[in-house]
Amino acid sequence: MIGKETFHTFSFVFLAVFFVVSPFSISLSQISCGLSLFFLFLDHIKRKECPSLPLPLIFWAGLYFSFLLIPLLHLESFHWKQNIIKSEFGDSWMGLLLLHQNYLNNAEKKKLKSFVIIGGMFLILSGVVSLLTHYRLAPFVMDGFRYVEGKRLPHLLTELKGISFYLPIGFQSTHLTYGGLLAVYLPSVFVMTFRLVQKKRVIRKHSILLIGNLILSALGLVLLFLNQSRSIWIGFLLGMILLIHKRRTSFKRLFPWIIALTFLILSILILFYHTNWLFQRAIDDIFAKRSLENQRVWIHKMNFSILKEHFGLGIGAGNYETSFIDVAIPIVDSIPELYYDLMITPKSHAHFDFLHGILLGGVTAFCFSIAFLWSITRSLELVPRHFFFYIGIFVIIIAGSFQCYLLDDEVLLPFMGILALMPTQKMDLFLLSQNLKRYFMKEGIWLTLFRMVPFSFGIALLWISLSLTATYLWSRTENKELSLHRTRTQDNFPSPLTQMSINAKTPIPLPFPTKELYFKLSGCLDKEMNFKRNLKPRQKPIRLEILWDKDKQSYLPNSITIEIRKRESFDQDKEYRVHVESVVRKFTIPITGNDHRIEVDPREFENTLPEFVDFGFLYRWQGDAPLLPRIHMQGNCD
């Protein structure tokens, strides 16, 4: 016989299971989430009452329905699979987790927090295992604890004393997803550790428990740093500033923790920075205008081009990639050498949560996004004593200016789950109107509106506004500036000095005593192609010139060796492996005192897939004041 609280109990249990399994499997988390909602609805049916809708869910539903405005207005081109099932709208059901916000009582929410902590511990432990395992955990476990040939391998961070360390991703497929989960789960582990430290009785009687939690918290910080999700780093930084404001903690009390954290970060930086190209890139790209793997400028160029044309109602769910390609085609037609950069640029989302919503739903989505953000931060204002536990919500909002974390199912589900544990927020229009009327009469409209705006909402809105401004200015970069032919060292690191020699006006001075210098120069594609056109072999030869300044001839190299190289044309981040390169020809140029023209017919080394024709240069000097010769290249290598 089904008791009065049976369905409610089942819903609670599956929600607890959801928090524990989310770090391991998106399928298990979706199943447990779905079962929790299923029993929630059965409970309401049994009680013959409608679920109470919390404010965030109302605004969330409005945001996602705004994505369907364009598809529904153009029914002749409407496709269920593209616009509903496999589009952004397919994630709308996950917002139903917010129903638990008004469904659970405070005691149940408190119990569920312990399961969040357990999930956080499992997330940290899985990250440690992935840090030391040379197979990706998810496919390795799914394939029966064996490696299947051809499956993606993790990125190698470095090797220390014979021990290999890999990019920590736990059971996730990307480091960004794992970083998002760290943002959601880590605060709960930190809070528990902090509370244990505060209790003197626990320190005396349960020292092992305290030491274990301190170790887990320290490992969580290390994983957060090694994971290289820079957007999450920034989110936590602003979150800590907000936390200090909330608690009004004095700098004197925080100073020892700041010193300890700084020491930990510097230690990790020293250990890994000079031993791994991936880790070095994560740091260098923060300060670089452009880098070999950074296509973010292209993403935002397309974003604002799309926004300019579809600001009113947006482009609709499931149409982002198509719109991206439509904007890219004329660019490639006018500047063919940019095809590769655009081809490997991620086209599934705008890499900016707030902006992606506006692109899909236009002005309507903008209003609902602001309202959703306000309702979330309003919830944060209601938990000043427990703000640290929920700080991951704020971190994801800030980090969403760099990635679409709210489009990532693995991050979105636990994000909504944590949000569901916030205090109840019901939409009582009568009570709201009465309170507003009283405040307006007593304090005036501007002071009333100011009181309604949470401090965290102001910070988040200011950050999003600054991010939108920065990305817009970044998107104004001229297309021709992005067709830069890049130089690399033998180990494929950027080579700044040799980069300066490309189309320079004068030879580049080198530090004494440089006697030999080798670098690679990214060449041009051996095929002609566009996004909606079949590729065909390039007919024109690839040309470049080494310019010889006769007035400085005594300082120029006395020996030049040239390599003609072929390199695979795909994104090494997307494929999780580096480009395969090979030397197809090698020769020495006789020094004649005149300009040296190098000409290559790509059809001599043609492959079925598009590849790059690159160059390798080996210069040798005898003098004491070496100069690097100028290299002249045009567009798509002439």
Side-chain angles (χ1 to χ4, degrees):
M1 183 176 179
I2 299 175
K4 184 178 180 181
E5 296 294 327
T6 302
F7 291 140
H8 182 90
T9 302
F10 279 141
S11 179
F12 175 85
V13 169
F14 280 111
L15 187 59
V17 172
F18 160 76
F19 283 119
V20 175
V21 301
S22 287
F24 295 108
S25 168
I26 180 60
S27 299
L28 289 176
S29 64
Q30 287 179 338
I31 291 171
S32 55
C33 170
L35 288 172
S36 178
L37 291 172
F38 174 72
F39 286 109
L40 181 150
F41 290 130
L42 285 182
D43 186 57
H44 281 294
I45 292 172
K46 182 176 175 59
R47 296 172 186 269
K48 297 180 181 180
E49 60 182 23
C50 292
S52 174
L53 301 181
L55 275 174
L57 178 57
I58 294 172
F59 297 135
W60 176 263
L63 172 64
Y64 270 74
F65 277 110
S66 72
F67 298 166
L68 294 182
L69 290 177
I70 284 295
L72 292 177
L73 289 174
H74 298 83
L75 289 176
E76 69 281 358
S77 59
F78 182 83
H79 297 285
W80 281 99
K81 184 177 289 186
Q82 177 184 341
N83 299 121
I84 299 289
I85 299 174
K86 291 189 175 181
S87 73
E88 296 84 355
F89 187 80
D91 293 338
S92 59
W93 72 272
M94 298 182 189
L96 294 176
L97 263 174
L98 296 173
L99 288 171
H100 287 292
Q101 190 176 90
N102 293 349
Y103 180 66
L104 300 167
N105 58 45
N106 291 333
E108 289 170 328
K109 290 178 180 179
K110 187 175 181 180
K111 289 179 182 178
L112 286 170
K113 287 182 179 180
S114 63
F115 291 98
V116 175
I117 295 171
I118 294 172
M121 291 178 174
F122 284 145
L123 182 69
I124 294 171
L125 293 174
S126 68
V128 173
V129 174
S130 67
L131 180 67
L132 300 169
T133 305
H134 54 284
Y135 300 125
R136 289 179 176 262
L137 292 181
F140 182 69
V141 173
M142 291 295 292
D143 293 327
F145 295 93
R146 62 189 179 89
Y147 173 68
V148 177
E149 189 67 29
K151 288 293 181 75
R152 292 175 176 177
L153 296 173
H155 288 301
L156 177 68
L157 277 180
T158 190
E159 290 186 359
L160 295 174
K161 296 184 178 181
I163 302 176
S164 298
F165 293 90
Y166 299 89
L167 186 67
I169 60 172
F171 280 85
Q172 313 310 311
S173 57
T174 70
H175 76 288
L176 293 171
T177 297
Y178 186 71
L181 285 174
L182 285 174
V184 174
Y185 277 99
L186 270 187
S188 64
V189 179
F190 292 158
V191 167
M192 185 182 68
T193 304
F194 182 70
R195 287 175 180 171
L196 288 174
V197 170
Q198 284 185 316
K199 296 180 180 179
K200 295 180 180 179
R201 187 168 53 186
V202 173
I203 296 175
R204 291 194 299 267
K205 294 185 177 181
H206 303 284
S207 57
I208 295 178
L209 177 64
L210 175 60
I211 292 171
N213 278 275
L214 285 171
I215 292 173
L216 277 175
S217 296
L219 287 174
L221 281 175
V222 171
L223 291 172
L224 181 65
F225 191 66
L226 293 181
N227 176 253
Q228 301 181 21
S229 296
R230 288 161 290 176
S231 54
I232 299 297
W233 297 350
I234 295 173
F236 267 112
L237 178 62
L238 291 182
M240 290 299 104
I241 294 174
L242 187 59
L243 179 64
I244 293 170
H245 169 78
K246 291 289 181 186
R247 298 181 66 88
R248 292 177 171 82
T249 306
S250 66
F251 181 78
K252 185 177 180 180
R253 292 183 61 186
L254 289 174
F255 186 72
W257 293 96
I258 294 173
I259 292 296
L261 184 60
T262 303
F263 177 77
L264 177 64
I265 292 173
L266 289 176
S267 299
I268 296 173
L269 184 62
I270 293 171
L271 283 173
F272 288 95
Y273 181 76
H274 291 292
T275 58
N276 175 252
W277 70 270
L278 190 69
F279 196 84
Q280 189 179 62
R281 188 193 69 189
I283 303 300
D284 291 349
D285 281 359
I286 296 176
F287 307 102
K289 180 181 179 182
R290 290 189 304 274
S291 68
L292 189 60
E293 284 80 25
N294 190 1
Q295 289 87 37
R296 211 54 76 79
V297 62
W298 280 117
I299 293 171
H300 291 305
K301 284 179 78 68
M302 303 304 159
N303 287 342
F304 286 102
S305 295
I306 296 170
L307 186 63
K308 184 179 179 181
E309 297 294 326
H310 303 278
F311 179 75
L313 295 177
I315 57 177
N319 293 324
Y320 180 80
E321 184 170 351
T322 303
S323 300
F324 186 106
I325 292 175
D326 288 341
V327 176
I329 286 175
I331 295 175
V332 176
D333 282 336
S334 60
I335 312 176
E337 63 269 26
L338 294 181
Y339 172 81
Y340 177 72
D341 274 353
L342 283 165
M343 183 264 290
I344 65 174
T345 297
K347 307 172 187 63
S348 59
H349 57 82
H351 284 69
F352 196 138
D353 276 323
F354 188 80
L355 182 57
H356 190 88
I358 298 174
L359 289 172
L360 298 185
V363 175
T364 307
F366 172 82
C367 295
F368 279 114
S369 294
I370 293 294
F372 181 65
L373 179 63
W374 172 80
S375 66
I376 290 176
T377 52
R378 183 172 178 267
S379 297
L380 289 173
E381 296 295 320
L382 299 176
V383 287
R385 292 182 62 249
H386 305 283
F387 180 79
F388 195 12
F389 183 91
Y390 298 104
I391 202 172
I393 294 171
F394 185 78
V395 173
I396 293 298
I397 292 172
I398 298 300
S401 295
F402 303 92
Q403 298 288 338
C404 282
Y405 284 104
L406 296 184
L407 292 180
D408 190 340
D409 295 359
E410 289 93 331
V411 178
L412 176 60
L413 271 172
F415 174 86
M416 289 296 184
I418 297 292
L419 193 57
L421 300 182
M422 302 286 278
T424 300
Q425 286 195 68
K426 295 182 180 179
M427 175 66 89
D428 190 331
L429 295 178
F430 176 76
L431 182 62
L432 179 63
S433 62
Q434 290 296 106
N435 288 336
L436 288 177
K437 183 178 179 181
R438 184 173 73 251
Y439 281 126
F440 283 148
M441 294 177 64
K442 182 179 179 181
E443 300 176 339
I445 184 171
W446 294 112
L447 186 57
T448 301
L449 291 175
F450 180 77
R451 287 182 179 274
M452 290 179 62
V453 176
F455 182 73
S456 54
F457 174 76
I459 291 180
L461 197 60
L462 176 62
W463 174 260
I464 290 173
S465 301
L466 292 174
S467 299
L468 282 171
T469 302
T471 52
Y472 174 73
L473 295 175
W474 199 15
S475 73
R476 302 294 292 174
T477 305
E478 293 291 334
N479 293 342
K480 290 184 178 180
E481 289 186 31
L482 298 170
S483 61
L484 186 70
H485 293 281
R486 303 177 179 97
T487 63
R488 299 168 288 144
T489 65
Q490 188 169 359
D491 297 319
N492 289 329
F493 285 100
S495 179
L497 271 177
T498 56
Q499 186 68 62
M500 294 170 61
S501 69
I502 308 302
N503 294 325
K505 295 182 179 180
T506 60
I508 308 302
L510 294 175
F512 178 81
T514 303
K515 296 296 182 182
E516 184 175 291
L517 179 64
Y518 175 83
F519 66 95
K520 302 174 187 178
L521 174 62
S522 298
C524 297
L525 286 169
D526 63 355
K527 303 289 190 298
E528 296 177 8
M529 63 197 90
N530 208 322
F531 290 97
K532 295 184 178 180
R533 186 174 68 212
N534 293 330
L535 59 86
K536 59 181 181 180
R538 176 190 174 112
Q539 302 297 317
K540 295 173 60 179
I542 294 173
R543 302 187 184 95
L544 60 83
E545 284 185 305
I546 300 176
L547 302 181
W548 209 256
D549 295 85
K550 295 183 178 180
D551 58 330
K552 300 177 180 177
Q553 184 167 337
S554 59
Y555 305 106
L556 296 174
N558 66 299
S559 173
I560 301 176
T561 301
I562 304 294
E563 292 175 345
I564 308 300
R565 309 177 62 92
K566 291 299 291 287
R567 175 166 50 96
E568 286 185 355
S569 168
F570 58 77
D571 179 17
Q572 62 186 32
D573 276 345
K574 185 177 180 181
E575 300 292 339
Y576 292 93
R577 59 194 179 103
V578 296
H579 297 287
V580 174
E581 297 182 74
S582 61
V583 178
V584 295
R585 186 195 298 171
K586 187 175 182 179
F587 54 91
T588 300
I589 296 178
I591 305 300
T592 62
N594 298 316
D595 296 341
H596 302 280
R597 169 172 287 197
I598 301 170
E599 188 170 297
V600 180
D601 187 347
R603 291 172 295 182
E604 295 180 17
F605 325 106
E606 188 178 347
N607 197 351
T608 54
L609 297 174
E611 291 183 320
F612 275 111
V613 177
D614 288 353
F615 300 91
F617 294 84
L618 176 61
Y619 294 149
R620 291 188 177 92
W621 291 265
Q622 291 182 342
D624 294 334
L627 292 178
L628 191 64
R630 297 181 292 147
I631 296 178
H632 177 66
M633 301 180 73
Q634 288 186 346
N636 197 22
C637 293
D638 198 7

